[in-house]
Amino acid sequence: YRTGKSFLLNRVLINNKKTSKGFDVGPTIKPCTKGIWLWSTPLIISNNHSSEPFPAFLIDTEGLGAYDEEVNHDSKIFLIAILISSLFIYNSFGTIDESSINNLSLILNLSKSIKLHNTKSAHNEEEEMAKYFPSLLWLLRDFILKLEDSEGNVITAKQYLENALMNQKGSTDAIEEKNTVRKLIKTYFPERDCFPMVRPVENENDLQNLQSLPDEMIRSEFLSQAEVLRNKVMKKTKPKNFNGKILSGEMLLELVESVITSINEGVIPVIENSWKYVMSK
């Protein structure tokens, strides 16, 4: 939480520079976004993932780790966002360190929070479940380091991510837990990428008014990266596919209703049941 997700969506993806348009952005430590918000005007995307242009909706979620929420709340937000998205942008500050990886430890709960079938879980359920998950784009905000490996060779951001997800050496319980998180990130998100962005402004005071700043007051490097990121998102976004079928808007709403109903009733969502519910409408 408070990592500039709403500003990113407004300024980079919606490409709107007016404070009155876009998702709420605030200058205090109080989170602005509660639950999950959807921007009502879709982006129309043309790329190699579809023979025709298709609409894509931007979703702004409540940030992980807000001080006034409990862990189960984060898990529910995370689960719903994962199930209804085709591209999941994970927003974090600085480098990919143990803390940022650990924030994704919510995926450890996914095997307990959702099931594929009503029957007992299969041995390879994680691999099967990954078919229903979005691709991952890990966004590194305020990134200032050079992208080099341990030997000083220049590497891509994607390679930097892959290096960070390599197993840690050792056999202690703590190391085993770290490696379990890494394994599940790679299993649930086999299609993944990474993109670094510099801090948008130099002046601390300007950070509180980012949404209303004109381009002239924002670092040119950030604006250039924003354009690259926008193009990357446009290329990576796919029509939402569920159980081998591209969902229409109405079918996606039915899927959302099915998942949220299960969660609110304290029942573990079952993908097989959700699909049957969608197809019965």
Side-chain angles (χ1 to χ4, degrees):
Y1 92 110
R2 308 312 291 151
T3 54
K5 296 181 300 300
S6 300
F7 167 74
L8 174 84
L9 289 166
N10 294 343
R11 197 64 179 259
V12 178
L13 299 183
I14 297 177
N15 199 20
N16 197 309
K17 301 172 185 177
K18 298 180 180 179
T19 56
S20 59
K21 299 291 184 180
F23 296 102
D24 283 346
V25 177
T28 71
I29 61 171
K30 183 180 179 181
C32 285
T33 307
K34 288 290 186 180
I36 297 178
W37 291 73
L38 181 143
W39 185 242
S40 59
T41 304
L43 303 176
I44 304 301
I45 294 181
S46 297
N47 59 29
N48 294 332
H49 298 299
S50 176
S51 58
E52 298 179 354
F54 60 93
F57 286 90
L58 297 174
I59 298 170
D60 191 14
T61 72
E62 183 171 347
L64 304 178
Y67 60 86
D68 56 347
E69 299 292 356
E70 40 104 19
V71 175
N72 287 337
H73 181 81
D74 281 354
S75 297
K76 293 172 184 176
I77 297 292
F78 185 70
L79 173 61
I80 296 169
I82 288 295
L83 285 179
I84 65 178
S85 301
S86 63
L87 176 63
F88 170 54
I89 301 176
Y90 176 52
N91 193 65
S92 69
F93 270 135
T95 60
I96 301 178
D97 55 16
E98 212 55 53
S99 176
S100 60
I101 293 176
N102 191 56
N103 281 338
L104 274 179
S105 63
L106 286 173
I107 64 173
L108 292 171
N109 297 323
L110 286 180
S111 59
K112 304 175 184 176
S113 304
I114 188 171
K115 295 198 303 182
L116 277 176
H117 310 288
N118 288 306
T119 56
K120 189 176 181 180
S121 299
H123 178 66
N124 62 340
E125 178 136 325
E126 282 102 359
E127 288 84 355
E128 288 296 311
M129 202 176 295
K131 297 177 182 178
Y132 298 91
F133 283 13
S135 53
L136 169 66
L137 177 58
W138 192 319
L139 186 63
L140 302 174
R141 305 291 293 277
D142 296 8
F143 189 82
I144 60 173
L145 301 180
K146 292 182 179 180
L147 286 172
E148 296 179 346
D149 62 16
S150 58
E151 298 178 355
N153 300 312
V154 176
I155 57 175
T156 64
K158 179 177 174 60
Q159 187 58 55
Y160 173 59
L161 171 60
E162 296 306 312
N163 291 348
L165 294 179
M166 292 177 64
N167 280 356
Q168 303 293 291
K169 295 181 180 179
S171 56
T172 64
D173 290 344
I175 293 294
E176 288 295 325
E177 184 175 348
K178 291 178 181 180
N179 288 339
T180 297
V181 174
R182 285 168 165 79
K183 176 187 175 183
L184 287 178
I185 291 174
K186 292 185 284 188
T187 300
Y188 284 133
F189 303 108
E191 186 177 325
R192 52 190 179 270
D193 200 355
C194 182
F195 190 80
M197 299 187 78
V198 298
R199 190 175 183 174
V201 293
E202 297 284 3
N203 191 313
E204 287 281 348
N205 294 329
D206 288 339
L207 285 174
Q208 297 184 9
N209 303 294
L210 273 178
Q211 185 60 30
S212 59
L213 291 181
D215 282 356
E216 296 74 32
M217 296 184 66
I218 296 179
R219 294 172 67 183
S220 59
E221 187 178 357
F222 179 88
L223 294 175
S224 298
Q225 291 173 341
E227 185 65 27
V228 174
L229 176 62
R230 187 180 300 116
N231 291 333
K232 183 181 284 285
V233 169
M234 293 297 181
K235 290 180 180 179
K236 285 183 173 292
T237 301
K238 304 176 183 178
K240 179 61 180 178
N241 187 299
F242 199 77
N243 209 31
K245 184 178 179 64
I246 292 177
L247 299 184
S248 65
E250 185 176 3
M251 294 169 75
L252 182 60
L253 289 176
E254 299 291 355
L255 172 63
V256 172
E257 182 179 3
S258 173
V259 172
I260 291 179
T261 298
S262 296
I263 291 175
N264 286 339
E265 292 178 351
V267 178
I268 295 178
V270 179
I271 288 180
E272 182 181 54
N273 293 348
S274 297
W275 179 244
K276 290 178 180 178
Y277 178 81
V278 169
M279 296 305 293
S280 67
K281 292 294 182 175

